[in-house]
Amino acid sequence: MIKSKIIRNLKEKPQRRFLISFNTKKISSIQVDVLVIGSGVAGLCAAIEAAKQAKVLIVTKKNLSKGNTEDAQGGVAVVLSEEDSFGAHINDTLKVGGSLSNK
């Protein structure tokens, strides 16, 4: 009896379950190759690379400039002038790391 019930259940079409009820036929959809969740530096870098070969959609909290990267205390360090250098950024990071960081 149990075996036949299991076989019958396997033949039945599985039902989709969601946290809320909605009609999927009434909801618009977008077809993409790659979905990037987050518009911080990592998400945008991933989206830029993926967009070279695929259709990409970025999903973010509010807008592209409201990611956690913008709120990071240390910010994102980049060399912007000839007076600056990548080596200087490394030295600054090691200096303020209080011996917790390493090269």
Side-chain angles (χ1 to χ4, degrees):
M1 177 125 172
I2 294 175
K3 187 176 181 181
S4 64
K5 186 175 183 181
I6 292 171
I7 292 171
R8 192 177 37 207
N9 285 341
L10 291 175
K11 292 178 182 178
E12 293 174 8
K13 186 177 178 182
Q15 290 183 337
R16 291 186 180 182
R17 294 182 4 181
F18 301 97
L19 294 176
I20 60 171
S21 297
F22 59 90
N23 185 343
T24 56
K25 293 180 182 177
K26 292 183 178 180
I27 297 174
S28 63
S29 64
I30 300 171
Q31 299 292 318
V32 296
D33 301 312
V34 178
L35 173 63
V36 176
I37 299 175
S39 61
V41 169
L44 293 178
C45 286
I48 288 168
E49 286 301 312
K52 293 176 183 177
Q53 299 178 24
K55 186 175 178 184
V56 177
L57 175 65
I58 301 170
V59 177
T60 188
K61 296 174 195 165
K62 192 169 186 177
N63 58 45
L64 290 178
S65 65
K66 289 297 177 192
N68 288 330
T69 300
E70 184 178 309
D71 297 333
Q73 290 180 359
V76 177
V78 295
V79 176
L80 297 175
S81 69
E82 290 187 22
E83 294 86 34
D84 201 359
S85 71
F86 186 67
H89 285 269
I90 292 173
N91 290 335
D92 287 345
T93 301
L94 294 171
K95 185 176 177 182
V96 299
S99 73
L100 295 175
S101 51
N102 60 47
K103 214 171 188 180

